[in-house]
Amino acid sequence: VFDPLQQHYDIIEEREFSDGVCLSGSSVVCQKLLNNDVAPIYQAKHLNRMTKQKQKYIRKRLIWDVETVMDRKAKNVMMPYSVSFCELTDNEMKRVEQLDAEKDTEKLAELLNKRTQCIVGYDCLVKFVQWIIKNQQNTRYELVSFNGSNFDHFLLLDTLLDSRHNFGEEAEVSNIFYNGSSILSLKLQSRHTIFDLARHVVGSLDSNCKGFKVNCVAKSSFDHNHAQQLHDNGELIAFMTGNTELIDYNNRDVWSLAVIFQRYCDALGATDITKKYAEDLCSRPTVGGMVWDVMRNHWQGFDIEQTVSKKKKVQKIHFPKLDAKKYADILKYKTAGRVQLFNGVQRIEEKMCSKDIASMYPYVMGCADVYFPCGDIVETDTFRTDKIGFYYCDIDQSILKKNNLPNIVARKEYAIKKNGEEGALIGNDWDYDGVLHDYCINSVTIQHLRDNGCDVVVKSGFYFTDKARSCDVFEPVLKLMGIKIEEDLKKRAKDSAYNPSLRETCKLLMNSVSGKVIEGLHLEKVEQMTTDRYAELLAKSINDESEIECISAINICGTKLFCEYKKTQTKKELSKQRPVYLGCLIYAYAQRHIYETGYKVIGLKDLVYTDTDSFKARATVFERPDVKQYY
């Protein structure tokens, strides 16, 4: 039986103890039952926890990266041929970042070369795991990768679970967490964790080297096609072994990642909003999850006078839960970023101009003079102009094209199933000329339609009893925007205090909020299971009364089967909903803003294209007197 704290094996000679207690072959302490069956009590490894023994570990970061080639004989077609990793303590991480900022190439190279290894060979990941096992005494590793959740983590997990590699109990894998087709986290030996920085920052590793101003160890280039040809000819490993140039390329990926990771942590620590996440970033797999935590903490401490349960008083801001129909219809008829060729496909051989609204969603949340709903929900059959609500409407927008304006609301196009029911959303038809019937839209959009002469017949709906200012509801966004603007001013003034990492981080965080607010229920679950459990869920998915809608095997790692299944939307699942109506209103305010400041100024006939927060037209259009007067 392996002791993970003291890092040794205990040999137990007798497998059966007194009173029918015994130890199974897989080190599970069991109780014998009267029918000669056994019931598991606890695993032997839990003895330390039961006796309240704790181990203090030194945290170290393993910045790692795997290089692969394609091989049809290999599992999952990808064959690892080298893994580079750099082992750094917290102080060494800070030192690496500092030396890169000072452009001290000599001292930086000296430190990194001491801490970096590159294992070459088709068994490189096996040797990497063996290295972790050998060096894990009193250490807790955080394995930091870039895009590892979609690539490296799968290769590592497959190696750990492959029955051909006998790592013993020192390499026990647990807490495997899938998000869709990505592996966000797992634990090795109940303490080592994995983390993908690409789930926090936007763009490629190369673009982040530029964004975070990596100086001495920026990512270099390498011809992967050449490596593939060498592998196909059976010459790759011999070519790589001792090839300092190629090994340096592999190593630079992890070195640049180390600098970016530390600068991202420093940027998080530079503002009170995210300071607490800077020291333990690896416990937050995604930037969205971290931002959502920021918003929830803010709302917990935000008091406002409002009506809750028909009682009006000053209390914590209340975002009510929606029933199943309201929740489904709000999400069904929402429209996020608008993408459209206003006048179809054109061949344009002249100068174009593109107008872009900087930080449009953060502007709506933090700066715009708008309101967001809170309090109780009240059903109604009449449109309340003094309240924010959602209503079922018939919409006639035919007047807009006559006035040289594009439509405001898109027609939703759905696939039709064999039984005649609506299937998945195909897309948005922004050019539809007919009347839209029974569309569930918000009061902001209704007023926008009417202000532009559209005929909107409001039927039933619901409204919220109270509202709060945008800058109060989304105060963290406003603060982040302020920090970003300060850094923009420093950059413009060529101030030496300009911090590009802080600017990039603030921009990233404030742009993540709107997506988390509108995020739907997570009904898709991924579970590691046996074939018996898979068969059980498969049988349930056929039953119409089951909570399981469908199931499919998505990955096989070693001897483990991972399956994705979709749960039906029960009351329990619905109770986990986010205030999606806030997200819908963010989009509504943003769409109204670009419509009134862009589309309406240019006019439908001269508009060429739009994508969310920008639009394009011929450059000559911006020479029109009316357009020049506006801009």
Side-chain angles (χ1 to χ4, degrees):
V1 178
F2 184 69
D3 182 350
L5 294 188
Q6 303 302 321
Q7 297 286 298
H8 68 264
Y9 283 94
D10 288 325
I11 307 300
I12 302 177
E13 294 181 346
E14 298 294 333
R15 291 255 302 272
E16 189 164 342
F17 314 122
S18 60
D19 301 323
V21 177
C22 59
L23 187 70
S24 75
S26 56
S27 303
V28 178
V29 179
C30 302
Q31 173 72 56
K32 281 190 175 181
L33 304 178
L34 294 177
N35 59 0
N36 292 324
D37 202 355
V38 293
I41 303 175
Y42 59 85
Q43 290 181 269
K45 66 179 182 179
H46 295 152
L47 284 170
N48 287 322
R49 187 186 306 167
M50 294 166 65
T51 55
K52 298 183 179 180
Q53 294 190 53
K54 293 184 178 180
Q55 174 80 21
K56 289 188 176 180
Y57 299 110
I58 298 171
R59 180 177 71 179
K60 292 183 180 180
R61 302 256 164 67
L62 271 185
I63 318 296
W64 67 299
D65 181 57
V66 180
E67 298 296 336
T68 63
V69 288
M70 294 182 66
D71 191 321
R72 285 177 292 178
K73 296 178 183 178
K75 188 176 180 181
N76 299 326
V77 191
M78 305 307 298
M79 174 76 79
Y81 68 85
S82 80
V83 56
S84 292
F85 59 97
C86 185
E87 180 192 31
L88 297 168
T89 64
D90 290 353
N91 288 334
E92 287 171 335
M93 289 284 292
K94 293 174 182 177
R95 181 63 175 158
V96 166
E97 189 282 324
Q98 180 186 6
L99 290 172
D100 183 79
E102 295 172 354
K103 299 182 181 180
D104 193 333
T105 306
E106 186 176 336
K107 289 183 179 179
L108 183 61
E110 182 182 356
L111 172 59
L112 289 174
N113 285 326
K114 286 181 181 178
R115 297 288 183 264
T116 306
Q117 294 189 49
C118 181
I119 302 174
V120 176
Y122 297 126
D123 60 347
C124 57
L125 278 176
V126 174
K127 291 180 178 177
F128 178 53
V129 173
Q130 291 171 339
W131 184 94
I132 293 174
I133 293 171
K134 181 180 178 181
N135 292 275
Q136 68 180 351
Q137 184 77 28
N138 302 321
T139 302
R140 178 173 68 84
Y141 286 121
E142 292 179 347
L143 282 71
V144 180
S145 63
F146 195 88
N147 198 33
S149 61
N150 296 316
F151 192 72
D152 307 66
H153 294 175
F154 284 90
L155 298 171
L156 177 64
L157 181 61
D158 189 59
T159 300
L160 289 167
L161 298 181
D162 195 325
S163 58
R164 293 174 299 176
H165 312 314
N166 185 19
F167 297 121
E169 290 189 47
E170 296 102 317
E172 181 198 27
V173 183
S174 60
N175 295 55
I176 303 169
F177 176 54
Y178 270 83
N179 180 20
S181 59
S182 302
I183 300 177
L184 291 187
S185 62
L186 61 79
K187 278 195 172 182
L188 175 60
Q189 202 50 39
S190 299
R191 66 177 186 272
H192 310 307
T193 56
I194 58 176
F195 177 79
D196 179 8
L197 187 61
R199 301 306 293 249
H200 276 253
V201 298
V202 178
S204 64
L205 181 60
D206 184 51
S207 66
N208 278 284
C209 285
K210 296 181 176 71
F212 284 87
K213 303 297 181 186
V214 178
N215 296 309
C216 304
V217 289
K219 178 180 173 64
S220 58
S221 60
F222 174 63
D223 185 359
H224 291 279
N225 186 52
H226 182 50
Q228 182 67 52
Q229 291 174 346
L230 289 169
H231 168 74
D232 294 341
N233 296 331
E235 302 169 351
L236 178 59
I237 302 305
F239 180 76
M240 283 288 299
T241 304
N243 191 322
T244 55
E245 182 180 349
L246 291 180
I247 291 174
D248 179 70
Y249 161 78
N250 290 356
N251 290 345
R252 288 180 79 86
D253 275 8
V254 300
W255 294 341
S256 58
L257 180 55
V259 175
I260 295 169
F261 180 90
Q262 187 59 46
R263 286 184 182 161
Y264 181 58
C265 288
D266 291 345
L268 291 175
T271 168
D272 292 337
I273 301 170
T274 54
K275 181 176 284 187
K276 71 175 186 177
Y277 306 107
E279 285 301 314
D280 192 21
L281 178 60
C282 291
S283 67
R284 294 287 172 179
T286 66
V287 66
M290 183 174 71
V291 164
W292 179 241
D293 195 51
V294 168
M295 292 309 306
R296 284 191 304 177
N297 290 337
H298 166 63
W299 292 331
Q300 288 288 333
F302 175 35
D303 292 336
I304 185 175
E305 186 178 29
Q306 61 189 323
T307 301
V308 179
S309 300
K310 299 182 179 180
K311 294 180 180 179
K312 195 173 185 69
K313 61 180 180 179
V314 175
Q315 54 193 308
K316 180 183 71 176
I317 192 165
H318 175 62
F319 298 121
K321 301 289 186 183
L322 303 169
D323 61 37
K325 178 172 173 50
K326 292 185 181 72
Y327 181 82
D329 287 344
I330 283 180
L331 289 180
K332 177 180 179 179
Y333 292 104
K334 73 173 174 63
T335 303
R338 180 172 183 164
V339 180
Q340 181 186 7
L341 282 166
F342 290 101
N343 293 286
V345 177
Q346 303 177 64
R347 182 183 181 91
I348 301 175
E349 296 182 342
E350 59 182 281
K351 188 176 181 181
M352 298 291 292
C353 182
S354 179
K355 290 290 185 183
D356 181 275
I357 299 174
S359 303
M360 184 167 71
Y361 291 154
Y363 163 75
V364 165
M365 289 183 281
C367 302
D369 183 16
V370 297
Y371 289 82
F372 289 89
C374 58
D376 281 341
I377 289 176
V378 179
E379 305 277 347
T380 182
D381 290 326
T382 58
F383 181 57
R384 292 285 301 267
T385 58
D386 59 329
K387 299 291 184 181
I388 299 174
F390 287 78
Y391 300 86
Y392 294 93
C393 305
D394 292 341
I395 308 164
D396 183 356
Q397 304 176 92
S398 57
I399 190 67
L400 294 176
K401 287 187 179 179
K402 295 176 183 176
N403 293 334
N404 192 29
L405 294 173
N407 283 343
I408 293 173
V409 178
R411 176 177 178 263
K412 296 289 181 179
E413 294 185 320
Y414 291 90
I416 304 300
K417 298 179 180 179
K418 291 182 179 179
N419 60 6
E421 295 179 355
E422 284 185 351
L425 177 68
I426 297 174
N428 297 313
D429 180 3
W430 290 99
D431 297 316
Y432 183 66
D433 292 327
V435 176
L436 302 174
H437 293 283
D438 297 318
Y439 269 48
C440 181
I441 59 174
N442 57 75
S443 50
V444 173
T445 302
I446 292 171
Q447 195 59 53
H448 187 206
L449 286 161
R450 288 179 169 175
D451 289 344
N452 283 278
C454 298
D455 183 19
V456 182
V457 178
V458 175
K459 300 178 181 178
S460 61
F462 62 93
Y463 65 84
F464 297 82
T465 55
D466 300 278
K467 61 184 179 181
R469 297 185 306 174
S470 58
C471 57
D472 293 327
V473 176
F474 296 103
E475 184 181 352
V477 175
L478 182 61
K479 290 181 177 179
L480 290 167
M481 184 176 279
I483 297 170
K484 176 183 174 292
I485 290 172
E486 287 179 6
E487 294 304 318
D488 286 338
L489 293 173
K490 290 176 185 176
K491 181 181 180 181
R492 191 176 302 170
K494 298 183 179 180
D495 189 336
S496 60
Y498 167 58
N499 187 338
S501 300
L502 181 57
R503 180 193 180 278
E504 288 292 312
T505 301
C506 288
K507 180 180 178 181
L508 174 73
L509 295 174
M510 65 188 193
N511 281 325
S512 300
V513 175
S514 59
K516 295 307 291 184
V517 174
I518 197 68
E519 194 171 275
L521 298 173
H522 295 284
L523 299 176
E524 291 80 16
K525 309 291 182 183
V526 175
E527 183 181 321
Q528 175 186 326
M529 60 185 69
T530 62
T531 52
D532 288 342
R533 169 66 172 160
Y534 177 69
E536 176 190 345
L537 289 179
L538 190 61
K540 282 185 176 181
S541 67
I542 301 172
N543 185 349
D544 292 337
E545 298 180 359
S546 170
E547 294 184 0
I548 306 297
E549 285 189 10
C550 57
I551 180 170
S552 59
I554 60 170
N555 192 25
I556 299 175
C557 287
T559 58
K560 306 296 181 182
L561 176 68
F562 293 88
C563 293
E564 180 179 61
Y565 59 91
K566 185 178 181 180
K567 302 182 71 175
T568 55
Q569 186 176 292
T570 61
K571 288 184 177 180
K572 181 180 178 182
E573 293 296 330
L574 191 61
S575 67
K576 301 173 185 177
Q577 65 179 267
R578 295 181 179 179
V580 293
Y581 41 83
L582 297 184
C584 287
L585 285 160
I586 291 170
Y587 294 148
Y589 287 130
Q591 288 161 6
R592 184 181 69 179
H593 182 66
I594 193 171
Y595 193 96
E596 295 297 318
T597 62
Y599 307 161
K600 203 169 179 179
V601 175
I602 303 300
L604 176 60
K605 292 179 181 178
D606 286 328
L607 285 166
V608 175
Y609 175 74
T610 187
D611 186 351
T612 309
D613 59 357
S614 65
F615 60 91
K616 300 182 189 299
R618 292 168 175 83
T620 53
V621 171
F622 292 90
E623 297 301 318
R624 279 173 23 198
D626 59 323
V627 176
K628 289 178 72 175
Q629 183 179 5
Y630 186 87
Y631 287 114

